[in-house]
Amino acid sequence: EDQRLVNCTVTVEGDSECFEVAGEVAAESIKYGETVNAFTVISRIPDAPLSPCNFECVLNFGVVQVDPKSGEDESDPFEEEYPLEELEIATSDFMAKVSVPDFRSSWEMVGNANEVLEKFALQFKKQEDAVAAVIDFLGMQPCDGTGHIKPGEGGKKPHMLHLSGVFVGGTNVLARAQVAAQGDASGVLLKIAVRSDDPDVSRMVADCIR
């Protein structure tokens, strides 16, 4: 109660080639017990190809001693900083979850000209957890009720996951993922096919798996 924070800003730094810090809005004053927002604006560089990136974030602020009874300042501000969690901008952040009325028809319509096929060994003990993780990694919309494994079927047979979405710029993306528990309980095997009208988008989406 005897301190007040002033001129609170968040410094964001990274080596991204597709995003840049465009400005910030400071929280001018924060009293004890208050919650106030400060904003840092990150803008996309239009001509640069999109790619995942990480930014280091630091909270900068001044600390002013305050008389808890009168609320009046008793000192000039002294500068402090506090490291925050890294900001990660992932490929899935560029994807909108948009379903299609007929996945199989849409899949055939897009065709395999720009298809990307990949295989991954995922470190999940449960098949259900792997399915949820794949959906989260890609940021896409499950179709045909494939987003969940039926109760009691987990681990018994491969699960086929159908996903759809729209990538920034209006590119429709479809993915088929087979999630199979390995018999020796060493993890989960993922086979994925990604289709779109843009080979670069197909590759970026397939590379979301980690």
Side-chain angles (χ1 to χ4, degrees):
E1 297 182 11
D2 60 352
Q3 290 183 337
R4 179 171 64 92
L5 306 185
V6 296
N7 194 29
C8 301
T9 60
V10 176
T11 300
V12 177
E13 295 182 345
D15 56 1
S16 171
E17 296 181 357
C18 53
F19 292 97
E20 61 183 357
V21 177
E24 59 185 27
V25 179
E28 297 293 343
S29 177
I30 308 177
K31 297 179 180 179
Y32 176 81
E34 284 187 340
T35 299
V36 180
N37 293 322
F39 300 93
T40 298
V41 180
I42 300 174
S43 63
R44 177 187 169 194
I45 301 173
D47 297 331
L50 288 170
S51 62
C53 50
N54 286 23
F55 294 93
E56 293 184 355
C57 303
V58 177
L59 175 64
N60 303 285
F61 55 95
V63 180
V64 177
Q65 294 298 130
V66 176
D67 184 327
K69 293 182 179 179
S70 67
E72 295 182 357
D73 293 351
E74 294 185 324
S75 72
D76 293 330
F78 58 91
E79 301 302 318
E80 291 280 2
E81 63 178 38
Y82 184 82
L84 304 175
E85 290 185 14
E86 272 196 351
L87 169 64
E88 178 185 6
I89 300 180
T91 304
S92 58
D93 294 322
F94 312 137
M95 183 77 71
K97 294 183 177 183
V98 179
S99 61
V100 292
D102 187 336
F103 182 89
R104 296 182 187 278
S105 175
S106 299
W107 181 260
E108 296 302 326
M109 190 177 300
V110 174
N112 62 1
N114 300 314
E115 183 178 69
V116 172
L117 300 171
E118 289 289 355
K119 182 187 295 185
F120 301 92
L122 304 181
Q123 301 303 310
F124 292 95
K125 293 183 179 180
K126 293 184 178 181
Q127 189 181 23
E128 298 92 329
D129 294 340
V131 169
V134 170
I135 296 171
D136 184 58
F137 289 155
L138 301 184
M140 298 173 69
Q141 178 66 41
C143 302
D144 305 332
T146 61
H148 300 279
I149 297 176
K150 294 180 180 179
E153 292 188 0
K156 294 182 178 180
K157 61 181 181 180
H159 178 76
M160 185 60 72
L161 180 61
H162 294 167
L163 298 163
S164 68
V166 177
F167 198 74
V168 65
T171 303
N172 293 313
V173 183
L174 299 172
R176 294 182 66 187
Q178 185 188 73
V179 184
Q182 302 195 64
D184 55 2
S186 61
V188 174
L189 184 64
L190 169 67
K191 297 179 181 179
I192 186 169
V194 180
R195 291 184 178 184
S196 76
D197 292 329
D198 186 330
D200 293 333
V201 171
S202 297
R203 168 47 60 191
M204 276 195 290
V205 173
D207 288 345
C208 285
I209 304 298
R210 34 184 166 153

